Amino acid sequence: MAGNRLAFLPLDLGRSRELQYVYVDNNTHLKGLPSYLYNKVVGCNGCGAPVQVSEGKLLSFSSGPLTVFLPAEVKAIGTEKDHILPLQELAMRRLHHVYHSLLKDLNFLSPVSLPRSLLELLHCPLGHCHRCSEPMFTIVYPKLFPLRETPMAGLHQGRTTVSFVAYCCSTQCLQTFDLLR
């Protein structure tokens, strides 16, 4: 994926144990790597330069001087102060749980019972919580870990300003997630 003008990576990239190597070198707009990639071999030299283009449609998350753009599918960003999930997120998580654990078949839902956009979202969540693996549908709680503050900093020797991003499903997971443990 090197040299492709990427601004973000899929939230679940790296969740698979089979994926061991990820090379995203020279994607200057890429500032965040999903925390699932932390124990993988990651090439990210030349990433994280200041964004020059307009990213008006993408949500961004900032922590101190760091800003990371999130995938367009993310509709809301939660913070440590947001203790109550939006109703749509709660409903989607409950439906997902019911249909995946009890019925094992999302085709049981007819297109009439849910709007098409929600039915498609139910089939394919945004990603999964990096702490507890709960599916997330409309909101994420991001937490940044600058690469320079991790044991991997020496491998890149200042050639990147990218950060690892943990995507959590709730305030509780956000507060208890620690990449370095």
Side-chain angles (χ1 to χ4, degrees), residues 17-66:
R17 290 179 188 211
E18 289 79 25
L19 180 67
Q20 293 298 313
Y21 306 94
V22 176
Y23 298 101
V24 291
D25 300 283
N26 301 315
N27 282 292
T28 57
H29 304 297
L30 182 64
K31 295 183 177 192
L33 301 172
S35 67
Y36 286 128
L37 295 176
Y38 182 69
N39 291 318
K40 313 286 183 180
V41 176
V42 179
C44 57
N45 291 319
C47 294
V51 176
Q52 308 272 323
V53 297
S54 172
E55 298 287 353
K57 294 186 178 182
L58 297 178
L59 289 178
S60 63
F61 171 72
S62 296
S63 179
L66 303 171

Side-chain angles (χ1 to χ4, degrees), residues 15 26 97 104 110 129 131 161 177:
R15 193 167 185 229
N26 301 315
H97 174 73
K104 304 285 187 205
S110 70
C129 178
R131 184 174 185 291
T161 58
F177 183 88

